[in-house]
Amino acid sequence: MAALFGRRMRRGAASTAVAAAAMAALSASGAPSAVSEQPAAAAADRPSAGAPGQEDPSITGDSPYYTELPELKGPGRNDPPDETPTTGSAESGIPATVLDAYRKAEASLAASNPRCRVPWELLAAIGKVESGHARGGRLDTNGTTPSPILGPVLNGVGFADISDTDGGAYDGDTLHDRAVGPMQFIPQTWESWGRDGNGDGRRDPNNIYDAALAAGSYLCAHDRDLTVERDLHQAILGYNRSQEYLRTVLRWYDHYRKDAHEVPDGSQPAPGAPAGTGGTTPSPAPVSPGTPSPSPTKPGKPAKPAEPGDGSPSKPTPPPTTPPPTTPPPTTPPPTTPAPATRLVDLGDGALSAPAGERFADRPAVRAERADKKPAARAKVRFTVAGETGTTFEGGATTVTVTTKADGVAKAPALLAGGKPGALTVKATLLGTSEPVTLGLRGEVTAPRADKLVRTDETGLTCGAGDTFEGRIALTATRDGEAAPGVAATATVLADAEPADGEKAADKGPYFLTPGDEPADDRRTRELTLTTDAKGNLLLPELHTDDTTGTFRLRVETTGGAVVVLELEVTEAA
């Protein structure tokens, strides 16, 4: 069955009548979300979601779409007398990978935005009218279309007029935007709403998992609840501002809720489209001026065959031929190819740094530029971690390749610092150039840190002059609630004066003994550095006292700023 692509309803009174008839048909079909009596009013009093907090443009730039409808089932269910043709049979099959993407998007949004309650059947309905489920499920093993699905050039001729916003990164056109991918996002809308649905670290509008999750997120904008009819209609109309579009999506939505099943990828024929809309089906030949247009034939009603004796000739009369047009139809110029990248620019503000075992706060980032110093889109940049610190990218890889966006920026995944402090380098290499272009980004893994330090022993902190405190003081260091091993800590005995900035160790009072063979008096110290063990524990050496009495303080501080201050009391000798 031939799908009609890009039909638009006429404005004015005819449109109102058609929409009303369509809505009545939906109500009769028992759709769970039938269109209200005044959908246009509901759409007008609430902004659509072209980007967060913006009204324009719609998600597709109001590009054309497939107006094929599923067959109505049940007694007395006839299509309304409008201008949208229907097909003779319903298509309930959805390609396996595409169906999996719709369902995973529903599950992801149920967890991240439970109020919205977006159903996968709605995503399937939109995916059907936008791209015929990614051209019948023609996808690679990652869910990406082998070649981009592109809408028409949005140059104001029959469609919206949207100048290029992505430098041709997504649609290959540096003059105007085009809708891209299975869910037909225009580039500027994708920049706001693009999502990573398959967890590969990229947001690709040509990937069905990314596109389905992005479409669901978009439909949930403005705190919508899609079980509410008003919100449902507004979300669909924000995708494409057409009452015909609303009717078509709702028909497929209702159909998939009742009858849908999985079919193998690529087992269905790819839908066709007129020339200039991104499809491959050629446009019908134009009719010369003065040639009467043939009357359309209703689908499903074949012409009655001729019977013998009714005056019909024995041989069928060939159809009249249409003379060739005097002026060839306009063609869309092929998209321009962006100039290649020739250099890389570091976008960091200094050395990358993180304590051992923790995530780096900043991600390595560079910008690819062309010879004219303008951003280079879709350039390939390889990031490689070098050094002896054990640092990797999130996921354990030491080498990743990233494609730049429209702004020429490539960001590596987050870095996870290894357990060994020291220097490291992240090398960014621009691929596809005749001469290697490499940029070295400096980094450092610092000593591990703790954010909490607690005392775990119960020994007394009072001792007579010239004696030794009973027991040893024990502490435990943690980071984010977990044991912090290998953390450096400094223990300092302070005088009984009020603490002050830069306060130094006391010159009398309690003291520690450092290891060695020298006399005890030579090994006295009131400041020493220790390191937590594998479980984050810290056990201080014995504390001794001289003949000075009074109150002293023992301050223990770890890397990262965790501090414990204990009060030591030295009394007169017994």
Side-chain angles (χ1 to χ4, degrees):
M1 47 189 164
L4 294 183
F5 193 68
R7 300 246 305 180
R8 290 286 183 264
M9 298 184 70
R10 294 188 176 95
R11 306 291 183 183
S15 176
T16 304
V18 170
M23 304 310 112
L26 277 170
S27 298
S29 71
S33 297
V35 181
S36 62
E37 296 179 1
Q38 294 180 327
D45 56 12
R46 198 174 190 180
S48 62
Q54 298 180 4
E55 296 186 12
D56 192 52
S58 67
I59 196 169
T60 65
D62 291 337
S63 292
Y65 51 87
Y66 293 94
T67 56
E68 176 185 13
L69 291 174
E71 183 182 46
L72 286 172
K73 296 183 178 181
R77 294 187 179 180
N78 297 317
D79 289 339
D82 63 9
E83 298 178 350
T84 306
T86 60
T87 60
S89 62
E91 291 187 43
S92 302
I94 301 176
T97 300
V98 181
L99 180 58
D100 183 56
Y102 296 150
R103 285 174 169 163
K104 285 185 176 177
E106 177 192 55
S108 176
L109 289 165
S112 63
N113 190 354
R115 169 182 166 78
C116 179
R117 291 180 281 190
V118 58
W120 72 259
E121 295 91 344
L122 178 59
L123 298 174
I126 292 175
K128 175 68 174 178
V129 302
E130 291 297 343
S131 68
H133 299 312
R135 293 175 176 156
R138 282 158 176 78
L139 304 162
D140 64 17
T141 55
N142 295 320
T144 304
T145 58
S147 59
I149 300 175
L150 298 176
V153 178
L154 299 176
N155 57 7
V157 180
F159 311 109
D161 186 1
I162 303 178
S163 298
D164 175 60
T165 61
D166 66 331
Y170 296 120
D171 55 16
D173 193 327
T174 57
L175 297 178
H176 293 88
D177 273 349
R178 303 174 71 171
V180 182
M183 304 304 276
Q184 289 290 278
F185 278 82
I186 57 175
Q188 62 175 307
T189 311
W190 181 259
E191 282 301 311
S192 299
W193 292 98
R195 299 290 186 268
D196 178 12
N198 61 354
D200 64 355
R202 298 182 57 204
R203 301 183 307 152
D204 185 358
N206 298 298
N207 181 276
I208 186 60
Y209 290 95
D210 294 359
L213 182 58
S217 301
Y218 180 92
L219 295 170
C220 291
H222 303 309
D223 200 28
R224 293 191 183 107
D225 177 356
L226 296 185
T227 62
V228 176
E229 182 181 272
R230 170 191 177 95
D231 284 1
L232 174 67
H233 297 170
Q234 178 58 34
I236 298 171
L237 287 170
Y239 213 101
N240 194 308
R241 298 186 184 90
S242 163
Q243 293 296 325
E244 181 191 26
Y245 183 85
L246 174 65
R247 171 181 180 265
T248 306
V249 169
L250 285 175
R251 275 282 294 275
W252 280 109
Y253 174 42
D254 181 44
H255 175 75
Y256 286 137
R257 285 167 63 95
K258 298 174 182 176
D259 186 15
H261 62 274
E262 177 183 304
V263 297
D265 291 345
S267 62
Q268 296 175 319
T277 61
T280 57
T281 303
S283 301
V287 179
S288 300
T291 303
S293 301
S295 300
T297 302
K298 279 190 175 182
K301 292 186 178 181
K304 183 179 179 182
E307 297 180 0
D310 64 355
S312 301
S314 58
K315 294 183 178 180
T317 303
T321 58
T322 301
T326 56
T327 304
T331 58
T332 301
T336 57
T337 302
T342 60
R343 58 182 295 222
L344 293 175
V345 178
D346 183 8
L347 298 183
D349 55 1
L352 301 161
S353 179
E358 298 189 46
R359 183 194 301 265
F360 282 69
D362 298 321
R363 292 163 55 187
V366 297
R367 181 174 62 249
E369 294 183 348
R370 306 183 313 218
D372 57 5
K373 296 187 178 181
K374 290 185 178 179
R378 301 192 72 80
K380 301 288 186 182
V381 179
R382 183 174 61 212
F383 292 94
T384 304
V385 182
E388 302 298 328
T389 64
T391 299
T392 66
F393 293 109
E394 197 167 27
T398 56
T399 299
V400 295
T401 300
V402 179
T403 302
T404 62
K405 299 181 181 180
D407 56 6
V409 174
K411 276 191 174 183
L415 285 168
L416 298 179
K420 184 178 179 181
L424 62 91
T425 301
V426 179
K427 296 180 180 178
T429 303
L430 180 61
L431 304 180
T433 57
S434 56
E435 295 292 334
V437 178
T438 300
L439 196 63
L441 313 178
R442 295 179 297 107
E444 180 186 14
V445 175
T446 60
R449 67 178 182 88
D451 54 25
K452 190 174 183 180
L453 186 65
V454 295
R455 185 184 175 197
T456 54
D457 71 287
E458 296 181 355
T459 59
L461 298 179
T462 300
C463 180
D467 204 346
T468 300
F469 282 83
E470 181 181 353
R472 296 168 65 182
I473 297 173
L475 305 103
T476 297
T478 58
R479 180 180 65 247
D480 299 327
E482 301 290 337
V487 176
T490 302
T492 308
V493 177
L494 303 172
D496 58 351
E498 289 297 323
D501 292 340
E503 186 177 10
K504 296 182 180 181
D507 56 2
K508 57 183 178 180
Y511 60 87
F512 301 103
L513 288 177
T514 61
D517 297 329
E518 297 85 1
D521 288 348
D522 295 335
R523 292 188 287 117
R524 290 185 182 187
T525 183
R526 292 180 174 87
E527 184 173 21
L528 54 81
T529 300
L530 304 167
T531 302
T532 60
D533 64 15
K535 295 183 179 180
N537 296 325
L538 195 67
L539 185 63
L540 302 187
E542 287 184 327
L543 265 173
H544 308 277
T545 66
D546 57 16
D547 57 1
T548 306
T549 61
T551 302
F552 299 85
R553 284 172 291 113
L554 175 64
R555 176 186 174 91
V556 184
E557 181 175 6
T558 70
T559 303
V563 178
V564 166
V565 178
L566 304 175
E567 189 174 277
L568 306 176
E569 187 72 26
V570 179
T571 61
E572 293 289 343

